[in-house]
């Protein structure tokens, strides 16, 4: 079994209890990622690794009825919960799609987004730089790729983040994109 199939299975099996960590966690982290990415009314947003919709729902609310949000995830259970949440919130401007962030550009040929969100998912991927390149290929000129991470990185994680930062460089503040020096946000404290 490959790593992607394994991880999709883990999240699929956890989907029913994923939000039950004892304290609100995913919703505030998702909302902060959307706040940092600052999608505007009418924007098109891709939420790669959307899970149960922690970033997808606030993004759909931010872009309004003239915007569009696509949630992408490998785990069917997570997508089912995200789709239910879309319906519960009455959001006609959001949809979910089963797929792999490393191949997002292949799944959405011809699509371009103002914002691509990667909420706490890069470290689950076997090839994060490939996923960043694929997600970045879906950005419109001047678009923003925003990612969130779980915690202060270890030395090994910092090295990993440096590799991801190289892939994100064309889309960070120097290029008119996300304000963070490596395009990543941390959960609010």
């Amino acid at each position: 079994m490959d790593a992607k199939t394994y991880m999709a299975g883990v999240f699929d099996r956890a989907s029913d209890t994923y939000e039950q960590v004892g304290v609100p966690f995913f919703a505030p982290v998702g909302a902060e990622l959307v706040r940092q990415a600052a999608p505007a009314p009418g924007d098109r947003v891709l939420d790669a690794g959307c899970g149960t919709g922690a970033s997808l729902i606030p993004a759909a609310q931010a872009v309004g009825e003239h915007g569009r949000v696509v949630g992408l995830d490998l785990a069917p259970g997570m997508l089912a919960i995200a789709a239910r949440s879309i319906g519960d919130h009455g959001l006609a401007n959001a949809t979910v799609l089963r797929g792999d962030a490393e191949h997002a550009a292949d799944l959405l040929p011809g699509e371009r987004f103002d914002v691509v969100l990667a909420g706490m998912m890069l470290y689950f991927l076997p090839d994060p730089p490939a996923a960043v390149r694929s997600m970045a290929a879906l950005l419109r000129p001047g678009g923003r790729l925003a990612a969130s991470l779980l915690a202060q990185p270890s030395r090994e994680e910092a090295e990993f983040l440096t590799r991801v930062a190289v892939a994100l460089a064309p889309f960070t503040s120097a290029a008119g994109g996300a304000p963070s020096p490596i395009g990543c946000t941390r959960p609010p404290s």
Side-chain angles (χ1 to χ4, degrees), residues 49-136:
C50 69
T52 60
S55 297
L56 186 144
I57 300 302
Q61 292 167 333
V63 302
E65 65 182 302
H66 299 293
R68 178 171 178 240
V69 178
V70 176
L72 180 68
D73 205 289
L74 277 173
M78 297 297 236
L79 290 171
I81 292 169
R84 191 166 48 246
S85 187
I86 289 168
D88 290 348
H89 285 86
L91 298 167
N93 64 342
T95 189
V96 295
L97 172 68
R98 185 165 186 226
D100 180 350
E102 288 182 18
H103 301 285
D106 298 332
L107 292 169
L108 299 159
E111 294 266 6
R112 292 295 173 259
F113 295 90
D114 300 289
V115 176
V116 174
L117 304 171
M120 297 200 328
M121 54 79 80
L122 287 172
Y123 35 72
F124 291 114
L125 304 176
D127 191 353
V132 169
R133 286 189 300 273
S134 184
M135 291 183 283

Side-chain angles (χ1 to χ4, degrees), residues 3-91:
K4 291 177 188 176
T5 303
Y6 173 78
M7 288 309 296
V10 167
F11 282 97
D12 191 47
R13 289 186 299 278
S15 62
D16 287 336
T17 58
Y18 188 70
E19 297 291 337
Q20 299 171 6
V21 294
V23 297
F25 180 76
F26 296 104
V29 170
E32 178 63 13
L33 178 61
V34 171
R35 188 187 74 73
Q36 291 282 328
D43 275 357
R44 296 169 51 87
V45 177
L46 172 65
D47 184 4
C50 69
T52 60
S55 297
L56 186 144
I57 300 302
Q61 292 167 333
V63 302
E65 65 182 302
H66 299 293
R68 178 171 178 240
V69 178
V70 176
L72 180 68
D73 205 289
L74 277 173
M78 297 297 236
L79 290 171
I81 292 169
R84 191 166 48 246
S85 187
I86 289 168
D88 290 348
H89 285 86
L91 298 167

